[in-house]
Amino acid sequence: MTVFLRRLSWVLLPLEVVLVVRLAGGAPLPGVVLGVAEALVCVLLLAEALAYLRLRRRGLARREAVAELVPAPVLRLLGHELRLFASLGRWVARRPHGTAGADGVFPHARDQAALMYGFAFVCVVETVGLSYLLARWPLVHGIVLVLDVYTVLFVLGLHAASATRPHVLAGGVLRLRQAAHVDLRIPLDRIASVRRETLFSHERADGELNLAVGAQTSVTVELTGPVDAPRLFGAPRPVRVVRVHADDPQALYGALTRARTAPSPAPGPPPRA
């Protein structure tokens, strides 16, 4: 049943998007077509709800039940969007994510701030201009306005995610992040070398991950073996070289060097006989 609902959702939801786009473009659609499409979507949502309740009664946790009904790529995309908007709240409240008890926190959003603010300003100007031009077509105006406002929030969310999700060194693990879509944890014992180097061009290569900010990286980390850095939709991506940027790259480089070369704790006194 769950497999059938998944396949049905892959058909009906894109169909719903096509109908909305046609309406936004002013193409007339028969009322019967709209009615049938909406009825099918409502039936799908009701069937999904009933299947969710059935899975919960079988003992599955909430996340497990949702994972059974919703395709994994859709779940990951929704999770990404939710993290972006949660980052907006953290940004306003000045509450960074994942920094409690950290040995070192290394922000990395400063060098992209001007670009992101400029992009957001352009989106706002576009929103105002299109609102004026489309005022005669209320339906199109409403749809475009929603999309434009969402775009502005999306851009701000990208910057907020970078600002509230710094690189973190804690508990023998280096956590490298970029916006809300990259969260890579590297145990220090998997690091072969660390280099302080500034690069402005990055060619794509297998086994390499470039987390550039403002088109630059400033610290290169080479690993003893591949570490998986999943892509946005969950596809595996083994990497052995990671290049990152930090607002203070020397602080990140120094902290990694000290953490990797720290002496082992001295053994305690021998037990008494």
Side-chain angles (χ1 to χ4, degrees):
M1 181 64 178
T2 57
V3 175
F4 172 74
L5 290 177
R6 279 190 179 189
R7 292 178 178 176
L8 188 61
S9 63
W10 279 116
V11 175
L12 290 183
L13 296 182
L15 177 61
E16 184 78 2
V17 173
V18 170
L19 293 179
V20 170
V21 171
R22 286 182 60 86
L23 287 173
L29 289 173
V32 175
V33 174
L34 290 176
V36 171
E38 295 305 318
L40 289 175
V41 171
C42 290
V43 170
L44 173 63
L45 294 177
L46 179 60
E48 293 269 5
L50 293 176
Y52 172 81
L53 293 176
R54 188 179 300 111
L55 291 172
R56 290 284 287 156
R57 283 195 291 267
R58 291 180 184 175
L60 271 67
R62 292 181 180 178
R63 290 190 176 184
E64 293 173 340
V66 173
E68 284 289 326
L69 295 170
V70 183
V74 176
L75 278 179
R76 293 185 66 89
L77 187 59
L78 289 176
H80 176 262
E81 302 296 299
L82 292 175
R83 288 193 295 273
L84 285 184
F85 289 105
S87 297
L88 285 172
R90 286 183 172 274
W91 191 33
V92 173
R94 297 186 178 182
R95 293 180 54 196
H97 177 273
T99 59
D103 301 320
V105 176
F106 310 98
H108 55 85
R110 182 187 63 195
D111 292 338
Q112 72 173 18
L115 175 64
M116 301 304 289
Y117 291 149
F119 192 22
F121 176 75
V122 170
C123 291
V124 170
V125 172
E126 180 193 23
T127 301
V128 175
L130 287 177
S131 295
Y132 175 77
L133 293 174
L134 299 176
R136 296 182 180 180
W137 299 277
L139 177 61
V140 179
H141 174 269
I143 294 174
V144 172
L145 180 62
V146 170
L147 294 176
D148 283 341
V149 171
Y150 177 81
T151 301
V152 174
L153 293 177
F154 185 87
V155 172
L156 293 176
L158 285 175
H159 181 62
S162 295
T164 58
R165 295 170 181 268
H167 305 314
V168 175
L169 180 61
V173 175
L174 174 63
R175 188 176 184 183
L176 301 176
R177 300 188 280 189
Q178 186 177 57
H181 60 281
V182 176
D183 192 341
L184 177 62
R185 301 170 190 261
I186 305 175
L188 293 182
D189 58 8
R190 299 290 296 274
I191 297 178
S193 65
V194 180
R195 296 194 304 274
R196 169 74 174 87
E197 59 179 0
T198 301
L199 300 175
F200 290 94
S201 61
H202 305 86
E203 297 182 0
R204 292 186 178 182
D206 292 338
E208 296 184 2
L209 177 63
N210 300 307
L211 304 181
V213 177
Q216 67 174 317
T217 58
S218 49
V219 176
T220 300
V221 179
E222 293 191 4
L223 309 180
T224 58
V227 173
D228 187 29
R231 301 178 189 275
L232 177 61
F233 291 105
R237 177 173 51 183
V239 297
R240 299 191 61 162
V241 176
V242 183
R243 299 184 181 92
V244 301
H245 181 65
D247 294 346
D248 188 350
Q250 188 60 39
L252 175 57
Y253 172 77
L256 284 176
T257 302
R258 289 190 297 271
R260 294 179 60 241
T261 57
S264 302
R272 295 182 179 179

